[in-house]
């Protein structure tokens, strides 16, 4: 329940359901933008008042015209601004002064023209921040809300009502898609041109459309990411319930430059962007057609549970095209079971294909199609169906469509179709669409849509698969930070190899034992201590790539080899760079492990902060380019998915008689590496190359760490990491100890056991209604608790070690859920029955309030059943202002 909060308008609602609209720059000139906006507002079914503003006119289109916003006799909800860029800051200041809630700036001439325009934007933002005004634009087409009759744009027509929320950074593309949508009968719940995104951005709009009951899918044309953290945070939450499909140009360098010059924003590295989309459950497509094909398919059909597609066709050639397209994007052809083939043998001509694709021959009629589809749909190896029809003189496309329409809702499996041809198949296509079966003109396009559907499904599954619970060890964070600060204090941005390995070792990453030698004698002593054979490498605070200057000597078997190698490295470095760059050598054991050379590294992306690279390593790393990129923080599941995207991953599982690498340990190493990046933000780049992986173990043979220069640490990860600062101990009055900490994805099994301890009374008091145990512990529900975004919600769990089972168990959960686009959070607490009334609820509530202060929230609210006297007293004791409501509940507010 959200009593109290529900009385307020939803954030951003002013742009989609305004009570009235003022058009600043309204004119009678038919060639002007202001006239087009006025005409669109008048010609649609917008129920509110429209106020033209132009100091040079007394009327516009028969409506009284005002000189300024302050002259309008009623409060204005939404202002649409179509005046020269130089006038906009003053207009925004007036909007704030009279209490306008939202402004759409149509005007161009801002950051897309250079520094002068960018300065104007900042002036606008300063004025807007003096109040609560939100801004869409500038340099945009405007906003349409078809269900509410709002067309605040200068487009030529109004979008049809529908279930797609469309957001575009390109106004020109908006008008083209609008024209296309009328022909294809595609409708929209919202149609938004965001322009330069000075204020309202992707995250805001994704969140609004995610909450909007009229929106079932969100489709986006994106040129630049803007606020990467806000985008990822909103998309991660919404993608669980509504598909988010993005087309993002800029895969090539030339396209990226074009996009940047068009929007005035830099385009990030495309591989990093793909990694970001995967991390938040967004599907990326390459064409506008795919954008809408996929949204329709996900709206009408269930997501596939696997990549295996069965193709039913009356023509071999189109089926081959479909198979090629399917396999090229990672899909698979289902292998029919023997039972299915036996059933098909009974109903099909003896010359049918006897495999998938199921070619049922060119004379197939409606009955043959229908029976084949029934058998294929029931095959357990099939995850989805594609039915292809090529028109022949013996096949009636309309009759086949009528029969196929009866199978539009298969049990958990999508069915899509390709009716090939023109006028002869048009009626059949119409019947299929009406029945909820997506239909495509070409079979390869249909197969590609299935691949995209599976990609979306598989990505969500990977994101929310419960990871392994790792031991809560305490790596040497403080020692690592001290090592970095010592180098910075010396004015260095490059760690030596010796320092780099020490840094890795503090995070539990195995490194080859290494000694520093400043002379040949010291090198000999170190070699004797380590044991032959050894490796000598240049020790330098300035040279990063040792091989390039002759700074590496391998497989040294005795003292003579070591002395010779020392002299050789010294002479080579002196010739190449100068003797001042030679500080001696490092001596380390010559690794004899049979294994694979991997690379594990990190760099900082301009939009998403630190990113992780994993792949094939060694000297030819830049030639092979077998790599995958991910975003920290990682858990073991995400680490495995990162590795699976490389070719070397197959070899790590054991090939050609080689024993497999311990992949679980490699996952854990990647998680620890991710922790290093998250916690040590002075690191700009790391290369572990090679990281030797074999059945005997993992070993970092070489490492390079570069620090950020200057006095500012690197950016935080785009995805907020685990908030370790909120981990603290606590004791009951009898001395029993427990830990109160933020929840983690690995806690899902503990949460299941926690819910098993709760009585119906406790459930009712927490949720205001009863929930069955099966529903409470369902994975799709616990995902939203355990896999939460710490920037949106922080759930604390009270965990003790069960002395009988020696396993951890959760005794209580407290949650701080931040409101969408409002600076407040809601508190909720649930405690296992055995431990109620012992102070744990008060302590959890107190800590959540402190977290709310740390998170800079303005207030905390709480909703409590009137009969829950214990929680009401806890809230009163913590300072909440309590109000009894008509429904019997109590609403509490605590200002911070």
């Amino acid at each position: 329940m959200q009593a109290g909060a529900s009385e307020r308008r939803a954030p951003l609602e002013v742009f989609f359901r305004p009570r009235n609209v003022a058009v600043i720059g309204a004119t009678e000139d038919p060639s002007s933008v202001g006239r087009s906006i006025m005409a669109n507002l008048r010609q649609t079914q917008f129920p509110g008042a429209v106020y033209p503003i132009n100091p040079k006119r007394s009327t516009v289109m028969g409506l009284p015209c005002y000189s300024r916003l302050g002259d309008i006799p009623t409060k204005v909800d939404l202002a649409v601004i179509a005046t020269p860029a130089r006038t906009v800051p003053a207009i925004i200041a007036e909007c704030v002064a009279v209490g306008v809630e939202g402004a759409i700036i149509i005007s161009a001439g801002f950051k897309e023209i250079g520094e002068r325009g960018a300065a104007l934007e900042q002036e606008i933002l300063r004025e807007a921040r003096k109040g609560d005004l939100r801004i869409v634009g500038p340099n945009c087409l405007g906003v349409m809300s078809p269900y509410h009759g709002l067309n605040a744009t200068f487009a030529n027509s109004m979008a049809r009502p529908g279930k797609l929320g469309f957001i575009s950074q390109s106004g020109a593309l908006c008008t083209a898609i609008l024209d296309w949508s009328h022909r294809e009968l595609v409708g929209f719940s919202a149609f938004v041109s965001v322009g330069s995104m000075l204020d309202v951005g992707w995250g805001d709009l994704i969140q609004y459309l995610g909450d909007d009951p009229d929106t079932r899918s969100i489709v986006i044309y994106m040129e630049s990411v803007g606020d990467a953290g806000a985008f990822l945070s909103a998309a991660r939450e919404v993608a669980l319930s509504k598909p988010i499909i993005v087309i993002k140009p800029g895969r090539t360098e030339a396209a990226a430059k074009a996009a940047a010059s068009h929007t005035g924003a830099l385009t990030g590295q495309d591989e990093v962007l793909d990694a970001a989309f995967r991390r938040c459950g967004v599907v990326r497509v390459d064409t506008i057609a795919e954008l809408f094909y996929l949204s329709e398919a996900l709206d009408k059909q269930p997501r596939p549970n696997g990549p295996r597609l069965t193709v039913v066709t009356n023509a071999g050639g189109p089926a081959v095209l479909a198979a090629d397209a399917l396999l090229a994007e990672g899909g698979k052809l289902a292998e029919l079971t023997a039972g299915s083939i036996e059933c098909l043998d009974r109903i099909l001509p003896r010359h049918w294909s006897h495999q998938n694709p199921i070619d049922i021959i060119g004379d197939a009629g409606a009955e043959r199609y229908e029976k084949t589809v029934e058998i294929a749909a029931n095959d357990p190896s099939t995850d989805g169906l594609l039915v292809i029809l090529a028109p022949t003189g013996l096949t009636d496309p309309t009759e086949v469509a009528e029969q196929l329409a009866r199978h539009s809702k298969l049990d958990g499996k999508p069915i899509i179709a390709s009716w090939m041809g023109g006028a002869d198949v048009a009626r059949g296509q119409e019947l299929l669409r009406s029945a909820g079966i997506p239909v495509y003109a070409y079979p390869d396009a249909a197969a590609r849509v299935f691949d995209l559907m599976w990609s979306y499904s598989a990505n969500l599954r990977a994101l929310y698969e419960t990871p392994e619970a790792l031991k809560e060890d305490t790596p040497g964070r403080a020692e690592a930070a001290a090592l970095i600060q010592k180098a910075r204090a010396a004015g260095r941005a490059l760690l030596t190899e010796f320092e780099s390995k020490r840094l890795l070792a503090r995070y539990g990453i195995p490194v080859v034992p290494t000694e520093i030698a400043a002379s040949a004698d010291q090198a000999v002593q170190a070699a004797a201590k380590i044991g032959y054979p050894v490796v000598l490498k240049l020790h330098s605070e300035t040279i990063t790539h040792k091989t390039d200057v002759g700074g590496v000597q391998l497989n040294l078997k005795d003292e003579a080899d070591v002395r010779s190698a020392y002299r050789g490295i010294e002479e080579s470095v002196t010739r190449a760079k100068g003797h001042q760059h030679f500080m001696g050598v490092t001596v380390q054991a010559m690794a004899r492990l049979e294994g694979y050379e991997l690379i594990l590294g990190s760099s900082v992306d301009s939009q998403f902060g630190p990113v992780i690279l994993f792949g094939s390593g060694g000297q030819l790393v830049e030639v092979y380019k077998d790599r995958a990129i991910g975003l920290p923080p990682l858990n073991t599941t995400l680490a495995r998915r990162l590795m699976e995207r490389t070719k070397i991953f197959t070899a790590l599982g054991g090939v050609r008689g080689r024993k497999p690498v311990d992949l679980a340990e490699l996952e854990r190493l990647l998680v620890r590496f991710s922790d290093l990046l998250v916690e040590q933000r002075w690191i700009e780049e790391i290369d572990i190359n090679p990281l030797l992986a074999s059945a005997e173990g993992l070993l970092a043979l070489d490492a390079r760490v570069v620090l950020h220069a200057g006095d500012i640490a690197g950016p935080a990860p785009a995805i907020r990491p685990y908030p370790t600062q909120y981990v603290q101990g606590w004791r009951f009055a009898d001395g029993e100890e427990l830990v109160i900490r933020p929840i983690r994805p690995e806690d899902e099994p503990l949460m299941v056991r926690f819910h098993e301890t709760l009585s119906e009374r406790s459930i009712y008091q927490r949720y205001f209604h009863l929930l069955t145990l099966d529903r409470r512990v369902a994975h799709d529900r616990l995902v939203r608790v355990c896999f939460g975004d710490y920037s949106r919600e922080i759930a604390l769990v009270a965990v003790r070690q069960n002395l009988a089972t020696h396993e951890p168990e959760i005794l209580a959960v407290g949650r701080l859920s931040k409101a969408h686009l409002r600076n407040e959070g809601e508190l909720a607490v649930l405690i296992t029955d055995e431990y109620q009334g012992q102070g744990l609820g008060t302590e959890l509530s107190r800590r959540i309030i402190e977290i709310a202060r740390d998170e800079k929230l303005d207030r905390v609210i709480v909703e409590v059943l009137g009969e829950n006297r214990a929680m009401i007293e806890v809230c009163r004791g913590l300072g909440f202002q309590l109000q009894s409501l008509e429904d019997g509940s109590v609403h509490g507010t605590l200002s911070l």
Side-chain angles (χ1 to χ4, degrees), residues 756-868:
E756 291 171 348
T757 70
L758 300 172
S759 66
E760 288 189 352
R761 174 179 169 273
S762 294
I763 294 300
Y764 184 75
Q765 288 188 339
R766 167 62 181 89
Y767 299 107
F768 291 25
H769 62 275
L770 291 178
L771 287 171
T772 66
L773 177 61
D774 287 347
R775 181 69 195 111
R776 297 200 316 269
V777 301
H779 175 67
D780 63 347
R781 184 178 177 276
L782 289 181
V783 153
R784 295 188 176 275
V785 179
C786 301
F787 291 77
D789 181 344
Y790 298 119
S791 64
R792 290 174 170 262
E793 177 177 282
I794 295 179
L796 296 179
V797 288
V799 184
R800 73 157 190 171
Q801 200 74 13
N802 187 305
L803 298 179
T805 64
H806 303 289
E807 295 290 333
E809 62 180 359
I810 291 175
L811 305 182
V813 181
R815 295 170 70 179
L816 176 69
S817 302
K818 297 181 184 177
H820 298 153
L821 306 177
R822 287 195 302 271
N823 199 35
E824 67 182 30
E826 182 176 6
L827 178 152
V829 173
L830 182 59
I831 303 172
T832 190
D833 290 61
E834 182 183 351
Y835 285 86
Q836 292 176 10
Q838 299 185 42
L840 186 52
T842 300
E843 180 63 18
L844 273 177
S845 300
R846 185 191 66 78
R847 292 198 185 187
I848 287 170
I849 291 168
E850 288 305 310
I851 290 172
R853 288 194 173 97
D854 288 348
E855 301 289 312
K856 304 293 189 289
L857 298 186
D858 293 332
R859 69 193 67 85
V860 176
I861 63 171
V862 65
E863 307 290 341
V864 187
L865 276 177
E867 65 189 58
N868 190 353

Side-chain angles (χ1 to χ4, degrees), residues 516-568:
I516 296 175
S519 68
D521 288 340
Q522 289 181 8
V524 169
Q525 292 172 4
K529 176 182 176 183
I530 292 171
Y532 292 101
V534 297
V535 175
L536 261 60
K537 297 182 182 179
L538 168 67
H539 179 54
S540 173
E541 295 179 348
T542 54
I543 296 175
T544 59
H545 297 291
K546 297 178 284 293
T547 305
D548 294 348
V549 294
V552 179
Q553 296 287 334
L554 304 175
N555 202 25
L556 308 176
K557 299 178 179 178
D558 53 33
E559 177 180 339
D561 284 353
V562 169
R563 292 186 181 278
S564 175
Y566 187 96
R567 289 193 300 272

Side-chain angles (χ1 to χ4, degrees), residues 34-97:
R35 175 66 166 73
S36 295
I37 296 168
M38 284 294 300
N40 283 337
L41 287 167
R42 296 295 304 280
Q43 290 167 6
T44 58
Q45 301 299 313
F46 177 59
V50 178
Y51 303 111
I53 296 181
N54 187 332
K56 297 179 181 179
R57 300 195 61 87
S58 59
T59 64
V60 172
M61 297 183 69
L63 294 175
C65 189
Y66 299 88
S67 296
R68 50 196 294 274
L69 279 168
D71 295 338
I72 298 173
T74 189
K75 182 178 178 294
V76 172
D77 263 9
L78 178 64
V80 183
I81 302 171
T83 62
R86 67 181 182 279
T87 67
V88 175
I91 293 171
I92 292 297
E94 188 180 5
C95 287
V96 171

Side-chain angles (χ1 to χ4, degrees), residues 115 128 167 188 195 225 268 342 360 390 398 420 425 539-540 614 638 671 679 682 739 748 790:
E115 291 185 7
I167 315 170
F188 299 91
V225 175
E342 184 178 338
I360 60 177
T398 302
M420 301 174 65
V425 302
H539 179 54
S540 173
F614 172 87
L638 294 172
V671 172
E679 295 170 0
W682 285 105
V739 173
E748 185 176 348
Y790 298 119

Side-chain angles (χ1 to χ4, degrees), residues 408-571:
S408 61
K409 302 298 180 187
L410 303 179
D411 185 18
K413 298 178 181 181
I415 180 169
I416 58 179
S418 174
W419 254 226
M420 301 174 65
D424 289 346
V425 302
R427 176 58 182 158
Q429 291 175 336
E430 183 182 332
L431 287 170
L432 292 171
R433 287 195 182 98
S434 298
I437 298 177
V439 58
Y440 308 96
Y442 304 107
D444 51 343
R448 167 71 174 154
V449 169
F450 177 81
D451 272 335
L452 290 168
M453 293 176 76
W454 164 239
S455 174
Y456 173 62
S457 184
N459 197 26
L460 286 182
R461 182 182 299 177
L463 283 175
Y464 298 108
E465 181 181 324
T466 305
E468 174 191 354
L470 299 179
K471 293 181 180 179
E472 295 185 39
D473 51 352
T474 53
R477 298 183 185 93
E479 294 177 47
L483 189 155
I484 289 171
Q485 291 308 316
K486 182 178 178 181
R488 292 187 64 249
R492 291 191 288 121
L494 177 69
L495 299 188
T496 65
E497 181 191 354
F498 183 76
E499 291 169 327
S500 298
K501 287 179 177 176
R502 284 184 60 205
L503 180 68
L504 296 177
R506 296 300 178 270
Y507 278 81
I509 297 173
V511 297
V512 62
T514 301
E515 301 277 347
I516 296 175
S519 68
D521 288 340
Q522 289 181 8
V524 169
Q525 292 172 4
K529 176 182 176 183
I530 292 171
Y532 292 101
V534 297
V535 175
L536 261 60
K537 297 182 182 179
L538 168 67
H539 179 54
S540 173
E541 295 179 348
T542 54
I543 296 175
T544 59
H545 297 291
K546 297 178 284 293
T547 305
D548 294 348
V549 294
V552 179
Q553 296 287 334
L554 304 175
N555 202 25
L556 308 176
K557 299 178 179 178
D558 53 33
E559 177 180 339
D561 284 353
V562 169
R563 292 186 181 278
S564 175
Y566 187 96
R567 289 193 300 272
I569 291 173
E570 183 176 17
E571 292 169 359

